[in-house]
Amino acid sequence: TRARLRVRVASGARSVPRNMRVAQIAVLGAAVAYVYASLDVLPPHTIALCVPLVYYVVFSYMDHAEYGLGKPWVSFARWRGLHFLIGAHETSSWLKARILYDDESALKACELKGLLPDSEGGARAIFACFPHGVVSFHHGVLMTDTAGFASKFPTFVTNRRDLVASITLAVPGYRELLMWLGCVDAGKKTAKKVLNSGKHLYVLPGGEAEQLLTEYKKHRVFLNSRKGFVKLAIEHGAALVPVYAFGETDMYHTTDFLMSARKLLMKHLRVAVPLFWGLCGSPVPKRTTLVVVVGAPIAVEKVSSENITREMVETTHLKFLNALKQMFDKHKETCGYPNAVLEVF
């Protein structure tokens, strides 16, 4: 039994990306160093408060739940307290949000199909969301019921996982918040686990590259070279659902200052460092209305991984890109952006 346990722990450790392991060790090391350096300065009760912190870092991070199906808290996703930040009806909400559906009946049919086992024609959906923006507030609209999405399409919220950057899951506290909302690590293995478990998947294909492209009131998506999510859809026969959030880039101003250095950092560490400011030069977002447009599902035929060709991926990717452009142009005037132009990088 002891030997089996050692093998299990070792294999779990190897599954953790190196940058995440470094982040975990750094946080734990900093906590231990702080306690050690403060033995002669801080009173015993203050030092005692550091013990739960170290316990949290070690045991929360060592469960590796982010590389599996996470640890979502459904009640938290439906908590009305979240409406203070984003809400559809509450006058107290800082950000207003509403959702437009390109084809609500097709989306409902897709949701119902997701309830069936694969043997009976069941299939999952991959929601590809744009633009990333500085913070991706619109992602939260689809994670929760702040704009009524969970009420209208309950299993698209309760039976789904969202892929987020590894580095965000290294931040104590923020890590738990994201995981309560159903987020997991944005790795290929994790994405496959989610789909194989019968759950839907939410992705931000543009990732950190699109985050750095963010410019105030500009509509930019980084999609031309992002085809991994398309191949994943083909491998699992998952429908592709385009999503675009008007207003996501109206919250913050950004700058190109030190852009070359930040791109270098992104290339080597896979982390974006946007330089931005919001209300009165602060990190608080400008008050705006997020209009999240959810497109009609694009059916994708399932093909085993060894039989997927480059042509299949290119064809499906082009089909998705065209659907995203058409959806953008169809709804931009209704959403208050009649002269908007979608820039695709």
Side-chain angles (χ1 to χ4, degrees):
T1 303
R2 200 171 289 174
R4 289 179 183 171
L5 180 60
R6 281 198 296 270
V7 170
R8 204 171 289 131
V9 171
S11 63
R14 284 197 299 270
S15 68
V16 183
R18 184 177 298 177
N19 63 334
M20 279 292 286
R21 177 61 68 195
V22 171
Q24 291 177 14
I25 293 174
V27 173
L28 179 58
V32 173
Y34 175 75
V35 172
Y36 181 78
S38 305
L39 288 176
D40 298 329
V41 180
L42 297 177
H45 66 271
T46 303
I47 295 175
L49 291 176
C50 296
V51 175
L53 173 63
V54 174
Y55 180 90
Y56 160 76
V57 171
V58 172
F59 290 95
S60 176
Y61 282 67
M62 287 182 67
D63 63 8
H64 307 315
E66 66 270 34
Y67 304 109
L69 297 180
K71 44 186 177 184
W73 184 6
V74 177
S75 298
F76 180 73
R78 291 181 174 274
W79 180 46
R80 295 195 65 83
L82 296 174
H83 293 219
F84 175 75
L85 177 61
I86 305 176
H89 308 293
E90 290 75 1
T91 55
S92 60
S93 300
W94 185 255
L95 301 174
K96 298 295 185 290
R98 60 191 178 98
I99 302 176
L100 292 180
Y101 301 100
D102 207 29
D103 190 335
E104 192 172 327
S105 60
L107 201 61
K108 176 56 72 173
C110 181
E111 181 189 27
L112 295 175
K113 193 175 182 181
L115 298 175
L116 299 174
D118 292 345
S119 59
E120 297 179 20
R124 261 43 69 191
I126 297 178
F127 288 71
C129 309
F130 303 88
H132 189 293
V134 172
V135 180
S136 298
F137 279 108
H138 73 276
H139 215 189
V141 174
L142 299 182
M143 290 177 181
T144 65
D145 202 28
T146 54
F149 189 66
S151 297
K152 188 163 287 189
F153 300 98
T155 61
F156 276 154
V157 174
T158 59
N159 192 42
R160 68 90 183 88
R161 295 294 182 270
D162 297 63
L163 300 188
V164 297
S166 302
I167 195 67
T168 61
L169 295 172
V171 183
Y174 189 47
R175 162 194 172 84
E176 303 304 319
L177 174 64
L178 290 175
M179 294 190 75
W180 286 346
L181 289 172
C183 296
V184 292
D185 179 74
K188 185 188 297 183
K189 289 183 179 179
T190 307
K192 288 185 176 182
K193 284 180 183 177
V194 171
L195 292 171
N196 287 332
S197 70
K199 290 178 170 45
H200 305 289
L201 193 65
Y202 288 52
V203 299
L204 290 162
E208 62 279 350
E210 191 171 279
Q211 191 175 15
L212 286 184
L213 277 175
T214 301
E215 189 174 326
Y216 186 61
K217 289 187 178 295
K218 294 285 187 179
H219 301 270
R220 296 173 170 177
V221 298
F222 191 82
L223 181 57
N224 286 332
S225 61
R226 295 297 168 96
K227 300 172 184 176
F229 74 102
V230 173
K231 186 176 180 180
L232 198 65
I234 296 173
E235 186 178 340
H236 293 83
L240 285 170
V241 182
V243 177
Y244 192 87
F246 290 92
E248 183 67 53
T249 57
D250 292 0
M251 302 178 197
Y252 294 107
H253 291 274
T254 58
T255 176
D256 290 336
F257 182 66
L258 294 177
M259 182 59 79
S260 296
R262 287 188 281 145
K263 284 183 177 179
L264 193 64
L265 185 68
M266 179 187 72
K267 180 180 178 180
H268 293 287
L269 297 181
R270 304 293 296 173
V271 57
V273 183
L275 300 180
F276 63 94
W277 63 95
L279 188 68
C280 300
S282 74
V284 178
K286 293 185 175 184
R287 300 194 79 163
T288 188
T289 297
L290 271 174
V291 186
V292 182
V293 182
V294 182
I298 302 169
V300 177
E301 184 179 351
K302 185 175 182 179
V303 179
S304 59
S305 57
E306 61 271 14
N307 292 324
I308 296 176
T309 65
R310 183 174 181 178
E311 184 181 0
M312 289 179 188
V313 176
E314 293 288 348
T315 301
T316 306
H317 181 270
L318 181 60
K319 188 175 182 180
F320 175 85
L321 177 57
N322 289 334
L324 179 66
K325 288 178 177 178
Q326 290 170 12
M327 183 182 76
F328 180 92
D329 290 333
K330 176 182 176 181
H331 294 283
K332 64 182 183 180
E333 186 169 358
T334 303
C335 296
Y337 300 83
N339 301 316
V341 176
L342 183 64
E343 300 178 65
V344 182
F345 293 83

